[in-house]
Amino acid sequence: MQLFETRAELRAFLKEVRQRQQTVGLVPTMGALHEGHLSLMRTAAAENDNVVATIFVNPTQFGPNEDFSKYPRSLEEDARLAAAAGVTALFHPPLEEIYHTGNATWVEVVGGLTENLCGRTRPGHFRGVTTVVSRLFNIVQPDRAYFGQKDAQQVQVLKRMTEDLCFDIQIRVLPIIRESDGLALSSRNAYLSVDERQAALVLSRSLEQARHLIEAGERDTKTIVETVTAFIQQEPLAVIDYVELVHPDDLRPRERLEKAGLLALAVRIGQTRLIDNAMLEVATCS
Ligand SMILES: Nc1ncnc2c1ncn2[C@@H]1O[C@H](COP(=O)(O)OP(=O)(O)OP(=O)(O)O)[C@@H](O)[C@H]1O
Ligand SMILES: CC(C)(CO)[C@@H](O)C(=O)[O-]
Ligand code: BAL
């Protein structure tokens, strides 16, 4: 695996790859790699001749009171893990390689996809994500790009951006990787104390509660959201940011669950904001 810090170096590498008529998979990350990231990298390695993984803690997607400066950074260990997962090029640019002109150009998906869920509680967040990912798409020009379903709203927003801006890139979405007790892997789990780590199980367990409700025949989204909310509120260390049950494609609420709904959560455990989600599918008799 080669490590690149500048666009020029990466471009030279990619030029040779293209001359060999090889394919490229892109895995954008903010580093502090865990099994969630590595599953994206391994799949990208299985599906492409080359994998470019990026590690860039993107300042424009963090709000003024968020954790940009304390976000975990561990380049040496990340490089070891990425190489073992089949990454061929690791791009770790300094700020000025991505925002080299200052910044006068934003890429923003507007409307329903960015209005609720994290869009409501992290204003400007998705504008930062689409701005940086569009730059990475332009720099790398991959055949495929890999994202985790853990960031379910991000996936829908990036699919829409890809479509709207005519990027010729296949968006591949991979399932949420969890610890054996159900906690979704996240770089931010590193912030949790022992007690908070235990309390954080309330997210995945509340999603399980919702699944049981659906199995028992509940279809009213308000009842499902209220039950999940009450379940999370029983955990003293948890403060709800949002609990929403929305249509999986347009991310808008519906009164009744029809075929499937996306139940998405953001919950603060102490100072740490965690997200999780589940696709709730209604079983149909054939
Ligand atoms: N548990 C997971 N399972 C599958 N994919 C994941 C998981 N966690 C993160 N990803 C994916 O990895 C990519 C990079 O995410 P990122 O670097 O923000 O990691 P993260 O662990 O989600 O960090 P944080 O939770 O602190 O935002 C995203 O596409 C994200 O959806
Ligand atoms: C896609 C991404 C790497 C853009 O900074 C980030 O939002 C993330 O890690 O999910
Ligand atoms: N995984 C999304 C990155 C963020 O929380 O900013």
Side-chain angles (χ1 to χ4, degrees), residues 30 61-62 122 125 151 154 188:
M30 302 204 303
Q61 69 189 70
F62 288 80
R122 300 185 71 186
H125 168 67
D151 295 84
Q154 170 170 281
R188 289 186 171 100

Side-chain angles (χ1 to χ4, degrees), residues 30 37 58 61-62 66-67 71 118 122 125-126 129 150-151 154 186 188 273 275:
M30 302 204 303
H37 304 115
N58 173 38
Q61 69 189 70
F62 288 80
E66 292 184 352
D67 56 340
Y71 197 85
C118 290
R122 300 185 71 186
H125 168 67
F126 287 112
V129 170
K150 199 198 83 184
D151 295 84
Q154 170 170 281
S186 162
R188 289 186 171 100
R273 181 181 179 280
I275 58 172

